Amino acid sequence: MWATQMDAALVLSLLRRLGSAARHGSSWSSPLSAEDERAVVGGCARTVRWQLAIFYFASGFWKANTSFLHPSYSCAGLFMVQPLEYLPDDVLFAASGLAASAVPALARAIAATGPAFTLVLEAVVPVLHFLEPRRFPRCALFGLVLTLAFHLVIGLTPPPSNVSTYGVTTCTRLFFVFPDAAAAAVGEMGRPHTAAGALLCAGMAAAAAATLALVEPYHAVAISTVQGEGKDWHAGWYAALAVLLTRAAVLEAAGGGEEQAACGGEGGPPAEKEKSREVEGRTREGPALRGLVALALLYAFALPVAGLQEKAGCLMFSQLRLHGGSNHLLLPTSLLQRELASAEPTNAFAGGVVRIEATDLEWVGNTFAEHMGPRTLRLIREVAAVPAEYVWAAKSSSAKRSRPPPRFRRHTLSALGLRRLLATAARQKDSFSLRYTRLHGAVGDEAWRTGSAGSEYVVRGEGGATRCARLGLGGKESPCDAREEALIAPPSWPSSAFAFLLEPQPNPIVDGYTDEMHCVTWG
């Protein structure tokens, strides 16, 4: 969704330019001139930068919750110590000597400060991208380099935390920070017969090869590789992209990017450069497209509050509670589910929260299949002393999988999540049994979510048909009442259409550690 919105700005700017050309007698199908290309980029550059700033800021903002800030549960504590895996075992797990005390002390310090460090980083980066690059060039350069370094560390982190696709998606759009310098760097890359072009191409190839060689041993033994099986080509691609954008930053810092893009000459004095920004041959940045900026704000902040977004937002690794009450320090979440918990049972937002206690639907465990390997867990548990569990719940599907195999965990869902789970099982004509508890109320703390009493039910399916029974004392079964039957059936179309983009996600329960949400992400 990030890339879609930023690319929409580029497409809209292109359409506006084509419309302007058509009004002046040019054919819309005519090739774009260099002036046209600069106008298209200038027409969307500020919008793309502001969208990226909004998305980054929201990613940090939603992490300001009690679970992410708790050092025993935080994703930051888990992920930031993982680069220590590059140390050899006799250092990482040393039983005596300096390493035996220094490495654990370092790991525990990283885990303890990781949450605060992450919040500061994800607050600084968007501010730097929001500033006007021509007025604050040093801040823009620092923002670009900091962003590249941030995503490089993520990409080099051993599995399953190596989300290099994140960097590929976002950093490609850093072109719009210094488009003239970036264009000059791309021009060099396209001229490998020159000294500068050959050096740049060699640097990109070397960075990609070195990155792939560095991560390969860890990918080869990983239980979970969230980037897919085999080589992490995304990491190699990102490394090459980082070198290209670093070259653009060097050209911009030297003043050569804008002058080379304009006329291929040497950079002039500052006063002349300032004047050159308004002359032909320079990309002149236009105003932000307000509608797309407003859409980015709505997407990043309003949808989680309303309860219309749980996946594909700015929520990755935030540990934000999106059903059953908010753990955020400032804002509520899922207001519609709270307000409509007791609404007509055909409403998509009715029904509150359910806890899935057990099922023989194997594919339900696909959601919790991805996990850390034994060496990583030893680092996390023994060296860093972090008890939290990592749950990559972004690959939930009903498809059969074997590596890693499904792992069922008790978990909670919004009522709509249960409806969709049962609808999938019925559509596939699965034979199954699923036991769940419908919790009393719609809001509570982690003790309520993970262990409180409620009304217990079992649903059995066969050949696309389902039967619901309520569980009483001693497991005695009685037919579900009409409301419960309606609450597990597909919702009415008006409310279902309103919840079209909502993909309810599970919050896992880890026995013994139920003070806060564990490190779960839904992508």
Side-chain angles (χ1 to χ4, degrees), residues 84-85 87-96 99-100 103-104 374-384:
L84 294 178
E85 287 191 63
L87 294 173
D89 283 2
D90 57 354
V91 175
L92 187 59
F93 306 116
S96 60
V103 173
R375 188 172 186 268
T376 303
L377 285 173
R378 186 181 176 191
L379 166 63
I380 298 297
R381 300 283 184 268
E382 297 179 15
V383 181

PDB file of all heavy atoms in Angstrom, residues 84-85 87-96 99-100 103-104 374-384:
ATOM      1  N   LEU A  84      24.171  -9.760  16.325  1.00  0.00           N
ATOM      2  CA  LEU A  84      25.252 -10.405  17.072  1.00  0.00           C
ATOM      3  C   LEU A  84      25.458 -11.846  16.630  1.00  0.00           C
ATOM      4  O   LEU A  84      26.484 -12.453  16.959  1.00  0.00           O
ATOM      5  CB  LEU A  84      24.955 -10.364  18.576  1.00  0.00           C
ATOM      6  CG  LEU A  84      24.934  -8.985  19.240  1.00  0.00           C
ATOM      7  CD1 LEU A  84      24.577  -9.105  20.709  1.00  0.00           C
ATOM      8  CD2 LEU A  84      26.280  -8.289  19.074  1.00  0.00           C
ATOM      9  N   GLU A  85      24.513 -12.399  15.889  1.00  0.00           N
ATOM     10  CA  GLU A  85      24.677 -13.763  15.379  1.00  0.00           C
ATOM     11  C   GLU A  85      25.855 -13.888  14.428  1.00  0.00           C
ATOM     12  O   GLU A  85      26.320 -15.002  14.154  1.00  0.00           O
ATOM     13  CB  GLU A  85      23.407 -14.213  14.664  1.00  0.00           C
ATOM     14  CG  GLU A  85      22.243 -14.521  15.584  1.00  0.00           C
ATOM     15  CD  GLU A  85      21.112 -15.208  14.848  1.00  0.00           C
ATOM     16  OE1 GLU A  85      21.321 -16.339  14.346  1.00  0.00           O
ATOM     17  OE2 GLU A  85      20.026 -14.610  14.758  1.00  0.00           O
ATOM     18  N   LEU A  87      28.730 -13.076  15.134  1.00  0.00           N
ATOM     19  CA  LEU A  87      29.881 -13.472  15.946  1.00  0.00           C
ATOM     20  C   LEU A  87      29.999 -14.991  15.948  1.00  0.00           C
ATOM     21  O   LEU A  87      29.001 -15.699  15.922  1.00  0.00           O
ATOM     22  CB  LEU A  87      29.706 -12.972  17.383  1.00  0.00           C
ATOM     23  CG  LEU A  87      29.711 -11.462  17.602  1.00  0.00           C
ATOM     24  CD1 LEU A  87      29.353 -11.137  19.052  1.00  0.00           C
ATOM     25  CD2 LEU A  87      31.075 -10.873  17.252  1.00  0.00           C
ATOM     26  N   PRO A  88      31.216 -15.508  16.001  1.00  0.00           N
ATOM     27  CA  PRO A  88      31.377 -16.974  16.085  1.00  0.00           C
ATOM     28  C   PRO A  88      30.862 -17.489  17.419  1.00  0.00           C
ATOM     29  O   PRO A  88      30.804 -16.764  18.417  1.00  0.00           O
ATOM     30  CB  PRO A  88      32.895 -17.162  15.949  1.00  0.00           C
ATOM     31  CG  PRO A  88      33.493 -15.856  16.344  1.00  0.00           C
ATOM     32  CD  PRO A  88      32.509 -14.800  15.939  1.00  0.00           C
ATOM     33  N   ASP A  89      30.501 -18.765  17.447  1.00  0.00           N
ATOM     34  CA  ASP A  89      29.920 -19.354  18.652  1.00  0.00           C
ATOM     35  C   ASP A  89      30.817 -19.243  19.873  1.00  0.00           C
ATOM     36  O   ASP A  89      30.331 -19.049  20.994  1.00  0.00           O
ATOM     37  CB  ASP A  89      29.575 -20.822  18.401  1.00  0.00           C
ATOM     38  CG  ASP A  89      28.299 -20.992  17.594  1.00  0.00           C
ATOM     39  OD1 ASP A  89      27.705 -19.960  17.203  1.00  0.00           O
ATOM     40  OD2 ASP A  89      27.899 -22.148  17.346  1.00  0.00           O
ATOM     41  N   ASP A  90      32.128 -19.392  19.672  1.00  0.00           N
ATOM     42  CA  ASP A  90      33.012 -19.359  20.837  1.00  0.00           C
ATOM     43  C   ASP A  90      33.113 -17.968  21.449  1.00  0.00           C
ATOM     44  O   ASP A  90      33.601 -17.813  22.568  1.00  0.00           O
ATOM     45  CB  ASP A  90      34.412 -19.895  20.481  1.00  0.00           C
ATOM     46  CG  ASP A  90      35.055 -19.131  19.342  1.00  0.00           C
ATOM     47  OD1 ASP A  90      34.377 -18.261  18.741  1.00  0.00           O
ATOM     48  OD2 ASP A  90      36.231 -19.403  19.031  1.00  0.00           O
ATOM     49  N   VAL A  91      32.664 -16.955  20.725  1.00  0.00           N
ATOM     50  CA  VAL A  91      32.574 -15.600  21.282  1.00  0.00           C
ATOM     51  C   VAL A  91      31.153 -15.320  21.771  1.00  0.00           C
ATOM     52  O   VAL A  91      30.948 -14.832  22.883  1.00  0.00           O
ATOM     53  CB  VAL A  91      32.984 -14.542  20.235  1.00  0.00           C
ATOM     54  CG1 VAL A  91      32.761 -13.127  20.780  1.00  0.00           C
ATOM     55  CG2 VAL A  91      34.434 -14.736  19.829  1.00  0.00           C
ATOM     56  N   LEU A  92      30.171 -15.664  20.945  1.00  0.00           N
ATOM     57  CA  LEU A  92      28.786 -15.360  21.262  1.00  0.00           C
ATOM     58  C   LEU A  92      28.314 -16.113  22.505  1.00  0.00           C
ATOM     59  O   LEU A  92      27.587 -15.550  23.341  1.00  0.00           O
ATOM     60  CB  LEU A  92      27.894 -15.719  20.069  1.00  0.00           C
ATOM     61  CG  LEU A  92      26.427 -15.332  20.144  1.00  0.00           C
ATOM     62  CD1 LEU A  92      26.262 -13.824  20.329  1.00  0.00           C
ATOM     63  CD2 LEU A  92      25.692 -15.786  18.890  1.00  0.00           C
ATOM     64  N   PHE A  93      28.721 -17.359  22.620  1.00  0.00           N
ATOM     65  CA  PHE A  93      28.290 -18.184  23.753  1.00  0.00           C
ATOM     66  C   PHE A  93      29.457 -18.569  24.649  1.00  0.00           C
ATOM     67  O   PHE A  93      29.487 -19.664  25.235  1.00  0.00           O
ATOM     68  CB  PHE A  93      27.590 -19.446  23.241  1.00  0.00           C
ATOM     69  CG  PHE A  93      26.452 -19.166  22.298  1.00  0.00           C
ATOM     70  CD1 PHE A  93      26.516 -19.586  20.973  1.00  0.00           C
ATOM     71  CD2 PHE A  93      25.338 -18.470  22.722  1.00  0.00           C
ATOM     72  CE1 PHE A  93      25.470 -19.336  20.095  1.00  0.00           C
ATOM     73  CE2 PHE A  93      24.287 -18.204  21.861  1.00  0.00           C
ATOM     74  CZ  PHE A  93      24.353 -18.635  20.537  1.00  0.00           C
ATOM     75  N   ALA A  94      30.428 -17.675  24.773  1.00  0.00           N
ATOM     76  CA  ALA A  94      31.628 -17.961  25.569  1.00  0.00           C
ATOM     77  C   ALA A  94      31.269 -18.262  27.020  1.00  0.00           C
ATOM     78  O   ALA A  94      30.406 -17.601  27.615  1.00  0.00           O
ATOM     79  CB  ALA A  94      32.589 -16.774  25.498  1.00  0.00           C
ATOM     80  N   ALA A  95      31.924 -19.263  27.590  1.00  0.00           N
ATOM     81  CA  ALA A  95      31.665 -19.643  28.984  1.00  0.00           C
ATOM     82  C   ALA A  95      32.638 -18.986  29.950  1.00  0.00           C
ATOM     83  O   ALA A  95      32.405 -18.974  31.170  1.00  0.00           O
ATOM     84  CB  ALA A  95      31.749 -21.160  29.130  1.00  0.00           C
ATOM     85  N   SER A  96      33.725 -18.431  29.422  1.00  0.00           N
ATOM     86  CA  SER A  96      34.710 -17.781  30.291  1.00  0.00           C
ATOM     87  C   SER A  96      35.417 -16.693  29.508  1.00  0.00           C
ATOM     88  O   SER A  96      35.280 -16.579  28.290  1.00  0.00           O
ATOM     89  CB  SER A  96      35.726 -18.814  30.812  1.00  0.00           C
ATOM     90  OG  SER A  96      36.415 -19.423  29.717  1.00  0.00           O
ATOM     91  N   ALA A  99      34.743 -12.233  26.780  1.00  0.00           N
ATOM     92  CA  ALA A  99      33.526 -12.348  25.969  1.00  0.00           C
ATOM     93  C   ALA A  99      32.355 -12.875  26.788  1.00  0.00           C
ATOM     94  O   ALA A  99      31.200 -12.513  26.533  1.00  0.00           O
ATOM     95  CB  ALA A  99      33.774 -13.273  24.784  1.00  0.00           C
ATOM     96  N   ALA A 100      32.629 -13.713  27.778  1.00  0.00           N
ATOM     97  CA  ALA A 100      31.558 -14.304  28.580  1.00  0.00           C
ATOM     98  C   ALA A 100      30.775 -13.251  29.355  1.00  0.00           C
ATOM     99  O   ALA A 100      29.605 -13.465  29.684  1.00  0.00           O
ATOM    100  CB  ALA A 100      32.133 -15.337  29.543  1.00  0.00           C
ATOM    101  N   VAL A 103      29.770  -9.832  26.011  1.00  0.00           N
ATOM    102  CA  VAL A 103      28.723 -10.062  25.010  1.00  0.00           C
ATOM    103  C   VAL A 103      27.326 -10.047  25.636  1.00  0.00           C
ATOM    104  O   VAL A 103      26.425  -9.368  25.122  1.00  0.00           O
ATOM    105  CB  VAL A 103      28.986 -11.366  24.228  1.00  0.00           C
ATOM    106  CG1 VAL A 103      27.804 -11.684  23.305  1.00  0.00           C
ATOM    107  CG2 VAL A 103      30.266 -11.254  23.417  1.00  0.00           C
ATOM    108  N   PRO A 104      27.090 -10.767  26.745  1.00  0.00           N
ATOM    109  CA  PRO A 104      25.768 -10.659  27.372  1.00  0.00           C
ATOM    110  C   PRO A 104      25.433  -9.236  27.824  1.00  0.00           C
ATOM    111  O   PRO A 104      24.275  -8.799  27.703  1.00  0.00           O
ATOM    112  CB  PRO A 104      25.855 -11.610  28.562  1.00  0.00           C
ATOM    113  CG  PRO A 104      26.897 -12.604  28.172  1.00  0.00           C
ATOM    114  CD  PRO A 104      27.903 -11.806  27.397  1.00  0.00           C
ATOM    115  N   PRO A 374      17.021 -22.422  16.470  1.00  0.00           N
ATOM    116  CA  PRO A 374      17.589 -22.689  17.801  1.00  0.00           C
ATOM    117  C   PRO A 374      18.763 -21.781  18.170  1.00  0.00           C
ATOM    118  O   PRO A 374      18.885 -21.383  19.329  1.00  0.00           O
ATOM    119  CB  PRO A 374      18.013 -24.155  17.716  1.00  0.00           C
ATOM    120  CG  PRO A 374      18.052 -24.488  16.250  1.00  0.00           C
ATOM    121  CD  PRO A 374      17.043 -23.608  15.606  1.00  0.00           C
ATOM    122  N   ARG A 375      19.626 -21.446  17.201  1.00  0.00           N
ATOM    123  CA  ARG A 375      20.761 -20.580  17.532  1.00  0.00           C
ATOM    124  C   ARG A 375      20.284 -19.177  17.879  1.00  0.00           C
ATOM    125  O   ARG A 375      20.776 -18.553  18.823  1.00  0.00           O
ATOM    126  CB  ARG A 375      21.747 -20.539  16.363  1.00  0.00           C
ATOM    127  CG  ARG A 375      23.060 -19.808  16.681  1.00  0.00           C
ATOM    128  CD  ARG A 375      24.063 -19.972  15.547  1.00  0.00           C
ATOM    129  NE  ARG A 375      25.362 -19.410  15.883  1.00  0.00           N
ATOM    130  CZ  ARG A 375      25.726 -18.163  15.609  1.00  0.00           C
ATOM    131  NH1 ARG A 375      24.882 -17.349  14.984  1.00  0.00           N
ATOM    132  NH2 ARG A 375      26.935 -17.728  15.934  1.00  0.00           N
ATOM    133  N   THR A 376      19.328 -18.682  17.111  1.00  0.00           N
ATOM    134  CA  THR A 376      18.773 -17.355  17.396  1.00  0.00           C
ATOM    135  C   THR A 376      18.094 -17.350  18.756  1.00  0.00           C
ATOM    136  O   THR A 376      18.270 -16.414  19.554  1.00  0.00           O
ATOM    137  CB  THR A 376      17.769 -16.954  16.309  1.00  0.00           C
ATOM    138  OG1 THR A 376      18.414 -16.985  15.036  1.00  0.00           O
ATOM    139  CG2 THR A 376      17.226 -15.561  16.566  1.00  0.00           C
ATOM    140  N   LEU A 377      17.308 -18.393  19.045  1.00  0.00           N
ATOM    141  CA  LEU A 377      16.617 -18.453  20.329  1.00  0.00           C
ATOM    142  C   LEU A 377      17.604 -18.546  21.493  1.00  0.00           C
ATOM    143  O   LEU A 377      17.366 -17.987  22.569  1.00  0.00           O
ATOM    144  CB  LEU A 377      15.661 -19.649  20.353  1.00  0.00           C
ATOM    145  CG  LEU A 377      14.381 -19.475  19.531  1.00  0.00           C
ATOM    146  CD1 LEU A 377      13.598 -20.778  19.485  1.00  0.00           C
ATOM    147  CD2 LEU A 377      13.520 -18.355  20.106  1.00  0.00           C
ATOM    148  N   ARG A 378      18.707 -19.238  21.264  1.00  0.00           N
ATOM    149  CA  ARG A 378      19.714 -19.305  22.329  1.00  0.00           C
ATOM    150  C   ARG A 378      20.299 -17.925  22.604  1.00  0.00           C
ATOM    151  O   ARG A 378      20.499 -17.538  23.763  1.00  0.00           O
ATOM    152  CB  ARG A 378      20.814 -20.292  21.939  1.00  0.00           C
ATOM    153  CG  ARG A 378      21.830 -20.528  23.046  1.00  0.00           C
ATOM    154  CD  ARG A 378      22.927 -21.488  22.614  1.00  0.00           C
ATOM    155  NE  ARG A 378      23.928 -21.629  23.656  1.00  0.00           N
ATOM    156  CZ  ARG A 378      25.098 -22.233  23.492  1.00  0.00           C
ATOM    157  NH1 ARG A 378      25.399 -22.784  22.308  1.00  0.00           N
ATOM    158  NH2 ARG A 378      25.960 -22.314  24.486  1.00  0.00           N
ATOM    159  N   LEU A 379      20.556 -17.181  21.537  1.00  0.00           N
ATOM    160  CA  LEU A 379      21.039 -15.805  21.704  1.00  0.00           C
ATOM    161  C   LEU A 379      20.006 -14.960  22.449  1.00  0.00           C
ATOM    162  O   LEU A 379      20.353 -14.236  23.394  1.00  0.00           O
ATOM    163  CB  LEU A 379      21.325 -15.199  20.327  1.00  0.00           C
ATOM    164  CG  LEU A 379      21.509 -13.664  20.273  1.00  0.00           C
ATOM    165  CD1 LEU A 379      22.716 -13.239  21.092  1.00  0.00           C
ATOM    166  CD2 LEU A 379      21.636 -13.194  18.828  1.00  0.00           C
ATOM    167  N   ILE A 380      18.753 -15.060  22.020  1.00  0.00           N
ATOM    168  CA  ILE A 380      17.700 -14.243  22.615  1.00  0.00           C
ATOM    169  C   ILE A 380      17.486 -14.601  24.083  1.00  0.00           C
ATOM    170  O   ILE A 380      17.397 -13.721  24.949  1.00  0.00           O
ATOM    171  CB  ILE A 380      16.379 -14.430  21.832  1.00  0.00           C
ATOM    172  CG1 ILE A 380      16.529 -13.961  20.376  1.00  0.00           C
ATOM    173  CG2 ILE A 380      15.236 -13.698  22.524  1.00  0.00           C
ATOM    174  CD1 ILE A 380      16.827 -12.503  20.222  1.00  0.00           C
ATOM    175  N   ARG A 381      17.389 -15.897  24.371  1.00  0.00           N
ATOM    176  CA  ARG A 381      17.046 -16.335  25.721  1.00  0.00           C
ATOM    177  C   ARG A 381      18.245 -16.298  26.681  1.00  0.00           C
ATOM    178  O   ARG A 381      18.175 -15.728  27.763  1.00  0.00           O
ATOM    179  CB  ARG A 381      16.500 -17.774  25.684  1.00  0.00           C
ATOM    180  CG  ARG A 381      15.261 -17.939  24.848  1.00  0.00           C
ATOM    181  CD  ARG A 381      14.018 -17.426  25.571  1.00  0.00           C
ATOM    182  NE  ARG A 381      12.840 -17.706  24.767  1.00  0.00           N
ATOM    183  CZ  ARG A 381      12.322 -16.866  23.878  1.00  0.00           C
ATOM    184  NH1 ARG A 381      12.882 -15.687  23.698  1.00  0.00           N
ATOM    185  NH2 ARG A 381      11.255 -17.185  23.182  1.00  0.00           N
ATOM    186  N   GLU A 382      19.356 -16.935  26.271  1.00  0.00           N
ATOM    187  CA  GLU A 382      20.473 -17.099  27.198  1.00  0.00           C
ATOM    188  C   GLU A 382      21.377 -15.870  27.265  1.00  0.00           C
ATOM    189  O   GLU A 382      21.849 -15.511  28.341  1.00  0.00           O
ATOM    190  CB  GLU A 382      21.307 -18.315  26.794  1.00  0.00           C
ATOM    191  CG  GLU A 382      20.550 -19.635  26.858  1.00  0.00           C
ATOM    192  CD  GLU A 382      21.419 -20.802  26.433  1.00  0.00           C
ATOM    193  OE1 GLU A 382      22.658 -20.648  26.371  1.00  0.00           O
ATOM    194  OE2 GLU A 382      20.868 -21.895  26.156  1.00  0.00           O
ATOM    195  N   VAL A 383      21.632 -15.251  26.127  1.00  0.00           N
ATOM    196  CA  VAL A 383      22.595 -14.141  26.103  1.00  0.00           C
ATOM    197  C   VAL A 383      21.898 -12.813  26.387  1.00  0.00           C
ATOM    198  O   VAL A 383      22.321 -12.045  27.259  1.00  0.00           O
ATOM    199  CB  VAL A 383      23.317 -14.092  24.739  1.00  0.00           C
ATOM    200  CG1 VAL A 383      24.342 -12.957  24.724  1.00  0.00           C
ATOM    201  CG2 VAL A 383      24.004 -15.427  24.451  1.00  0.00           C
ATOM    202  N   ALA A 384      20.809 -12.529  25.641  1.00  0.00           N
ATOM    203  CA  ALA A 384      20.116 -11.251  25.820  1.00  0.00           C
ATOM    204  C   ALA A 384      19.090 -11.292  26.946  1.00  0.00           C
ATOM    205  O   ALA A 384      18.632 -10.244  27.399  1.00  0.00           O
ATOM    206  CB  ALA A 384      19.446 -10.841  24.516  1.00  0.00           C
TER     207      ALA A 384
END
